[in-house]
Amino acid sequence: MPVRSHRLHVDPTPETIDLPVQRRNAAVRAASYSETENTIEIVWTTGAKVRRVSWLDGAYDEELEVTPEAVRLERLNAGAPFLNTHASYDLADVIGSVVPGSARIERGKGIASILLSDAPSDASIVSKIKSGVIKNISVGYRAHKVEITERDGNVPLNRVVDWEPLEISAVPIPADPGAQVRSGGELFPAAIVHKEAKVPAPNPNPAPAAVEAERVRNDIISDLATRTGQVALGNEHIASGTTVEEFRRVLVERLAEDQERSFPSNGASQLGVSHAISDDNLATRRAKAIESALLHRVSPNEFRLEAGGEAFMSMPLLEMARAAVEGRGVRTTAMSRMQLANEALAQRSGGLHSTSDFPTILSNVANKTLRAAYEAAPQTFRPFTRETTVPDFKEVTRASISEAPQFEKVNEQGEFKRGSMSEGAEKYKIATFGKIIGLTRQAIINDDLSAFDRIPRAYGVQAAQLESDVVWAQLLGNPTMGDNTALFHANHGNLLTAGAVGATTVSEARLKMGLQKGLDGKTVLNLTPAFLIVPKALEIAALQFISMIAPTKQAEAVAQVLQALTVIAEPRLDLGIDRYNIAGDPNAFYFAASPATVDLVELAYLEGARGVYTETRQGFDVDGVEIKVRLDVGAKVIDWRGFSKNPYTG
């Protein structure tokens, strides 16, 4: 790590080391919003003592000196940015700025006025800040001088006596006060003063580097031993001068022996290291920290940097691989770059004999970015579609039971007649779709983050696109229904008179849908269109039509009808669906009822595998790790009565 220990070297002489940007939380003064100035006042620091954690050295307390002499306000008073959750990779992340000259220190608090953005794209966030829904503020700052005091029986105290705020952010949830957060991996030099120096009794003049190295060794061995319940073993090897690498090897062997004694029936333990040692052990924490750092690097706005991740933020992928391999006691000093990549990607069976966690880390990162892209991809069919699951790939039958028979008058001394109910059925089945992503050693050596960001995201988007194809093919393809009649057909009463979007076509859709009858052919369902589904070419025309009638007293009823009609614009209606060789039509449009009143489209997944699903294995076709991306899905229109089509030709 480029950041040196805060705890181990005690010396009153100032030194200079690199420290990351830090963050602190404060609050918006929502009541201070000025409508005329579009500004709001915030408290961006109180300097309160907080507990933080250094990955190498453990916990320490940090306290900010909040005085005019200690805080450099030049950046803030020059109009520093007000950001959305510390994001600083795009101009769209800026949602305001500090009002020049407003930043000040008053009675131990940092206060400033923020000029909020009036851009339409920021309106939602700014509105929540104005109303007090968003209250949390976090300040990013650079430490120029830190005084470190070692305290007997307590963690060290780091008092920041010279510091500089860089930016202020609105955040949804306050950051973990026990975690340092680095901004983009950037480091800044800071003067460090160690107070209350203590010299070990056995040697009045030890070399500082030797003292530091010895305490690091003792701390790491003690931590490993305590967390695995091997305190006596740890004390023995601390006293004998065992290196950390050698102790890890000894510890793994001891744990393996313990497992074999606990599970003698099968000859060898089936538990891996992550089970033999509690989930809070050093190796597991290291793997989680590397994964967090990698996720934050590929998408800082989506994935929060977890505690410990800052230690790996500036590392290339190959150095992350080295940390994972060495974390299992494997020496990598003499390895070439290619050898190190091969060793990091090796996955050997046998539980405790696994070389490293790196393949799992890479797979998790790819899986999470893929899933995030899949869930974020726009899908216009959702409002009129119902999700379900099926147990297998066999044909599914969805039975529709008709309405109860109509009551008949019973004359005096007459008898009650028995009634019967008819039923209809729609049949379909799901299918499997998928591809394989390869994470290669070349990508690791080249530090190619696209292998874990853009490529998995592209597959995630494709999975979402597939679902859209499957559903929209039901409307565009005009499939045959259970009564052997096409979905949109004159016999179904849902094929409208061709015409442009307007009062006449909407009126006909309402009339025909309202007159639809149930399976018994007698019961009037009185359905109402809830969605106007149009190709992108007709989107503006549809929106203009719905909004053109003002809700005056004369037109109030009509206006309410139109305002209740939601426009859905889908480009597949224009372009067609290549997967199913279905042509589009940029002029035809559709109406759909509410799925709460009638079955419309059913989207089915295999049980236990909703949405995109991934499996990982050691590569066979690629030199690395393979991730199989799979989607088991199918769709079917269940009832034609809730749909109608206008075959307008323009």
Side-chain angles (χ1 to χ4, degrees):
M1 282 185 57
V3 178
R4 290 182 56 188
S5 165
H6 306 319
R7 297 176 55 187
L8 305 181
H9 177 59
V10 181
D11 190 332
T13 305
E15 60 174 324
T16 300
I17 67 171
D18 288 337
L19 288 178
V21 171
Q22 309 283 343
R23 292 174 188 167
R24 280 289 186 106
N25 302 300
V28 174
R29 291 179 170 176
S32 67
Y33 176 66
S34 168
E35 189 74 39
T36 57
E37 302 294 333
N38 195 31
T39 61
I40 196 163
E41 190 172 82
I42 64 168
V43 176
W44 46 269
T45 188
T46 62
K49 186 185 300 180
V50 298
R51 179 63 54 90
R52 295 192 182 278
V53 175
S54 164
W55 180 252
L56 283 180
D57 306 322
Y60 64 95
D61 287 336
E62 182 189 70
E63 187 174 58
L64 302 179
E65 181 176 322
V66 186
T67 64
E69 296 76 22
V71 187
R72 305 186 188 188
L73 296 175
E74 290 81 7
R75 282 181 184 262
L76 292 189
N77 281 323
F82 184 55
L83 303 176
N84 178 359
T85 57
H86 293 293
S88 57
Y89 299 90
D90 195 297
L91 292 177
D93 299 324
V94 181
I95 57 175
S97 62
V98 177
V99 175
S102 69
R104 60 199 185 275
I105 304 298
E106 293 183 359
R107 296 186 296 276
K109 294 181 180 180
I111 299 172
S113 295
I114 300 295
L115 175 64
L116 298 172
S117 168
D118 57 5
S121 58
D122 299 328
S124 175
I125 296 175
V126 170
S127 175
K128 292 179 181 179
I129 294 173
K130 292 177 184 178
S131 63
V133 173
I134 294 178
K135 300 179 180 180
N136 297 311
I137 293 295
S138 183
V139 59
Y141 59 93
R142 169 187 174 183
H144 289 281
K145 184 176 181 181
V146 182
E147 293 181 351
I148 300 179
T149 303
E150 297 287 338
R151 300 181 294 181
D152 291 337
N154 205 340
V155 299
L157 173 64
N158 289 17
R159 182 166 174 78
V160 185
V161 296
D162 183 3
W163 56 287
E164 179 181 16
L166 304 177
E167 51 85 7
I168 299 173
S169 289
V171 294
I173 301 175
D176 181 356
Q180 294 179 329
V181 183
R182 181 177 297 171
S183 177
E186 190 174 7
L187 298 173
F188 298 95
I192 304 297
V193 178
H194 298 275
K195 305 182 72 177
E196 298 184 12
K198 296 181 180 180
V199 180
N203 185 352
N205 296 298
V211 173
E212 180 174 340
E214 177 64 11
R215 293 189 62 179
V216 168
R217 184 188 73 87
N218 293 350
D219 283 352
I220 294 176
I221 291 178
S222 179
D223 178 69
L224 287 170
T226 300
R227 295 181 183 280
T228 56
Q230 301 288 338
V231 175
L233 182 67
N235 291 338
E236 174 187 339
H237 285 274
I238 287 174
S240 63
T242 304
T243 65
V244 172
E245 291 77 10
E246 180 64 17
F247 179 71
R248 286 198 181 103
R249 186 190 64 77
V250 172
L251 180 60
V252 169
E253 290 179 354
R254 173 64 62 85
L255 292 171
E257 292 171 359
D258 290 347
Q259 284 189 327
E260 289 172 1
R261 284 193 293 269
S262 301
F263 301 93
S265 59
N266 58 5
S269 170
Q270 296 302 309
L271 296 179
V273 171
S274 61
H275 291 78
I277 307 174
S278 70
D279 284 342
D280 196 29
N281 72 82
L282 185 61
T284 300
R285 286 188 291 127
R286 180 187 292 106
K288 290 180 178 178
I290 294 174
E291 180 180 321
S292 173
L294 193 50
L295 282 168
H296 191 68
R297 282 178 62 187
V298 300
S299 185
N301 292 332
E302 284 182 298
F303 301 105
R304 174 183 171 183
L305 187 65
E306 302 294 338
E310 73 282 353
F312 302 96
M313 273 295 294
S314 60
M315 284 187 182
L317 284 173
L318 198 61
E319 290 308 306
M320 291 184 180
R322 187 188 304 278
V325 171
E326 291 185 345
R328 294 301 185 189
V330 178
R331 295 180 181 275
T332 64
T333 306
M335 290 184 182
S336 67
R337 293 164 62 84
M338 189 63 73
Q339 287 173 330
L340 177 56
N342 287 340
E343 190 71 19
L345 288 174
Q347 285 184 319
R348 303 190 177 106
S349 60
L352 287 171
H353 301 292
S354 175
T355 298
S356 80
D357 297 319
F358 205 58
T360 302
I361 293 170
L362 299 185
S363 300
N364 288 346
V365 170
N367 290 342
K368 289 179 181 179
T369 54
L370 185 153
R371 187 81 193 191
Y374 164 75
E375 293 177 349
Q379 293 181 316
T380 58
F381 65 81
R382 291 289 175 182
F384 60 85
T385 303
R386 180 175 69 90
E387 278 191 24
T388 188
T389 60
V390 295
D392 51 41
F393 296 92
K394 297 178 182 177
E395 190 172 63
V396 179
T397 300
R398 288 289 184 250
S400 299
I401 300 176
S402 74
E403 298 71 23
Q406 295 181 345
F407 284 14
E408 297 181 18
K409 182 178 179 181
V410 180
N411 295 321
E412 185 177 356
Q413 296 182 349
E415 64 177 321
F416 287 83
K417 297 181 179 180
R418 297 183 180 276
S420 62
M421 300 172 68
S422 59
E423 67 177 42
E426 298 298 331
K427 297 180 179 181
Y428 71 100
K429 58 184 178 180
I430 65 173
T432 299
F433 305 82
K435 286 287 186 180
I436 291 177
I437 305 174
L439 304 179
T440 67
R441 58 178 178 172
Q442 287 83 358
I444 297 173
I445 292 173
N446 296 336
D447 199 32
D448 183 9
L449 288 181
S450 67
F452 314 101
D453 179 23
R454 292 193 296 274
I455 294 175
R457 285 183 186 279
Y459 278 83
V461 170
Q462 279 301 317
Q465 292 288 328
L466 167 63
E467 291 179 347
S468 293
D469 285 350
V470 169
V471 172
W472 285 109
Q474 288 295 300
L475 265 67
L476 273 178
N478 198 21
T480 300
M481 302 297 288
D483 62 352
N484 293 320
T485 303
L487 166 61
F488 298 110
H489 193 279
N491 292 347
H492 283 163
N494 62 1
L495 197 57
L496 309 177
T497 304
V501 173
T504 300
T505 51
V506 172
S507 176
E508 184 187 16
R510 288 179 58 83
L511 174 62
K512 287 198 170 183
M513 196 174 286
L515 296 181
Q516 285 284 6
K517 293 182 179 180
L519 289 175
D520 63 359
K522 299 177 182 179
T523 302
V524 179
L525 301 180
N526 194 22
L527 301 173
T528 302
F531 303 101
L532 171 56
I533 304 171
V534 299
K536 294 294 288 187
L538 299 181
E539 181 178 13
I540 298 303
L543 292 171
Q544 287 176 335
F545 167 68
I546 286 178
S547 62
M548 72 179 183
I549 301 180
T552 61
K553 287 186 178 180
Q554 293 80 6
E556 185 174 358
V558 176
Q560 288 177 352
V561 167
L562 293 178
Q563 290 166 3
L565 197 60
T566 300
V567 173
I568 296 176
E570 171 54 48
R572 285 171 178 78
L573 302 184
D574 305 74
L575 303 173
I577 304 174
D578 292 340
R579 185 189 307 275
Y580 297 105
N581 197 27
I582 298 175
D585 186 341
N587 297 302
F589 55 96
Y590 306 80
F591 295 89
S594 168
T597 60
V598 63
D599 289 331
L600 296 173
V601 178
E602 189 168 277
L603 177 66
Y605 300 103
L606 186 66
E607 283 182 2
R610 183 212 175 276
V612 65
Y613 184 82
T614 59
E615 293 180 2
T616 304
R617 69 171 184 175
Q618 184 70 20
F620 288 96
D621 297 327
V622 300
D623 190 7
V625 178
E626 292 179 339
I627 300 177
K628 181 191 293 182
V629 185
R630 188 179 70 215
L631 191 63
D632 300 314
V633 69
K636 183 67 174 69
V637 173
I638 303 301
D639 197 327
W640 67 80
R641 297 166 182 82
F643 286 107
S644 59
K645 176 182 179 180
N646 191 302
Y648 183 54
T649 57

